[in-house]
């Protein structure tokens, strides 16, 4: 199975700050990675698909990129509603696998 | 609009089985794989498996083989996940979602307790 190592597991940041979250894949997954956002009530929403494509309605401060086996979600300027949980998911091969998640907290 | 409506919270006894449902609407149910995901309190997301309602083909993570059974009813556009031999570690929120992850259910909370 492909392992996805997500870092950091938690991140404390300030409003307006630029942050990046990373998922490292244990095997080649090409561009088959999505980023998900989870609200405190459990609601899950996709932000980025296929590594770098922004979902409709998602603010442009969110972006996705890849460098080798490292996949990043960058938020260019944090707003209050961004302080929730984030997950990556690889779908290159079954079984699909998630990263461990990142909890973004306000400093 | 696409919706995935999951069944309500469940309380089950250790050793019992439970069947969770996920009713799809707003798209062609038989054309998209449906996945199931587990989340224990304070933990990350865990991929259980997926089913293709068009032909019933399934995929499972090894850990959940024998624990979870995925089925789908084309007539009602509903996906099901049966969990057997329940134990405390099965207490979690379970989500259904299209494998494209563009649409998610609201989650079903399962509590296993005597």
């Amino acid at each position: 199975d492909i392992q996805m190592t997500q870092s950091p597991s938690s991140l404390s940041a300030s409003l307006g700050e630029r942050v990046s979250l990373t998922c490292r894949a244990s095997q080649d997954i090409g561009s088959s990675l999505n980023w998900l956002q989870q609200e405190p009530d459990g609601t899950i929403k996709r932000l980025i698909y296929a590594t770098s494509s922004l979902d409709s309605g998602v603010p442009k401060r969110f972006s996705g990129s890849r460098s080798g086996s490292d996949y990043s979600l960058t938020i260019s300027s944090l707003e209050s509603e961004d302080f929730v949980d984030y997950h990556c998911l690889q779908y290159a091969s079954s079984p699909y696998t998630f990263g461990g998640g990142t909890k973004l907290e306000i400093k | 609009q696409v919706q995935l409506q999951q069944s309500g919270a469940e309380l089950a006894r250790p050793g019992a089985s439970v069947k969770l449902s996920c009713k799809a609407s707003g798209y062609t149910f038989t054309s998209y794989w449906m996945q199931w995901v587990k989340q224990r309190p304070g933990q990350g997301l865990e991929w259980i498996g997926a089913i293709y309602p068009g032909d019933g083909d399934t995929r499972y993570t090894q850990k959940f083989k024998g624990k979870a059974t995925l089925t789908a009813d084309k007539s009602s556009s509903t996906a099901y996940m049966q969990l057997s031999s329940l134990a405390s570690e099965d207490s979690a929120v379970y989500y259904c979602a299209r494998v494209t992850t563009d649409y998610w259910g609201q989650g079903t909370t399962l509590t296993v307790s005597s």
Side-chain angles (χ1 to χ4, degrees):
Chain A
D1 298 359
I2 297 174
Q3 307 303 316
M4 300 300 298
T5 303
Q6 187 169 344
S7 60
S9 57
S10 64
L11 177 60
S12 182
S14 303
L15 289 169
E17 190 173 339
R18 177 187 178 93
V19 298
S20 288
L21 318 179
T22 299
C23 277
R24 175 168 292 174
S26 65
Q27 300 175 38
D28 181 28
I29 61 169
S31 296
S32 302
L33 183 119
N34 293 345
W35 287 99
L36 309 169
Q37 180 187 62
Q38 185 174 26
E39 300 287 345
D41 70 353
T43 302
I44 298 174
K45 169 186 171 182
R46 191 180 69 181
L47 299 176
I48 302 280
Y49 62 96
T51 298
S52 58
S53 296
L54 195 68
D55 265 286
S56 175
V58 174
K60 288 182 168 48
R61 63 181 180 274
F62 291 92
S63 64
S65 62
R66 172 192 178 186
S67 176
S69 60
D70 289 343
Y71 296 77
S72 296
L73 173 69
T74 299
I75 310 173
S76 60
S77 179
L78 284 167
E79 299 197 6
S80 56
E81 60 266 30
D82 300 336
F83 292 92
V84 294
D85 295 342
Y86 296 86
H87 308 273
C88 66
L89 170 72
Q90 72 78 20
Y91 57 93
S93 68
S94 178
Y96 296 176
T97 43
F98 291 92
T102 295
K103 184 176 190 64
L104 188 49
E105 298 173 313
I106 193 162
K107 189 183 290 183
Chain B
Q1 70 284 21
V2 174
Q3 289 189 331
L4 299 177
Q5 183 64 40
Q6 296 189 238
S7 48
E10 298 268 5
L11 171 62
R13 303 293 185 216
S17 295
V18 68
K19 194 171 187 177
L20 310 183
S21 68
C22 172
K23 183 171 176 57
S25 60
Y27 73 99
T28 303
F29 178 64
T30 52
S31 297
Y32 289 81
W33 284 82
M34 185 79 79
Q35 64 187 358
W36 289 84
V37 173
K38 177 182 180 179
Q39 187 174 40
R40 285 181 57 78
Q43 303 298 308
L45 302 175
E46 196 170 8
W47 199 79
I48 297 171
I51 185 168
Y52 188 69
D55 61 7
D57 192 13
T58 54
R59 302 281 188 273
Y60 294 93
T61 295
Q62 182 65 37
K63 173 181 176 180
F64 289 98
K65 289 181 180 177
K67 167 62 66 177
T69 302
L70 305 184
T71 57
D73 179 359
K74 290 188 277 189
S75 67
S76 63
S77 297
T78 303
Y80 296 94
M81 177 174 68
Q82 179 161 324
L83 297 169
S84 61
S85 302
L86 292 171
S88 58
E89 54 265 31
D90 297 317
S91 295
V93 177
Y94 293 87
Y95 294 93
C96 63
R98 297 204 311 194
V99 289
T100 44
T101 68
D102 48 354
Y103 293 97
W104 290 75
Q106 80 276 25
T108 295
T109 299
L110 171 64
T111 303
V112 180
S113 174
S114 55

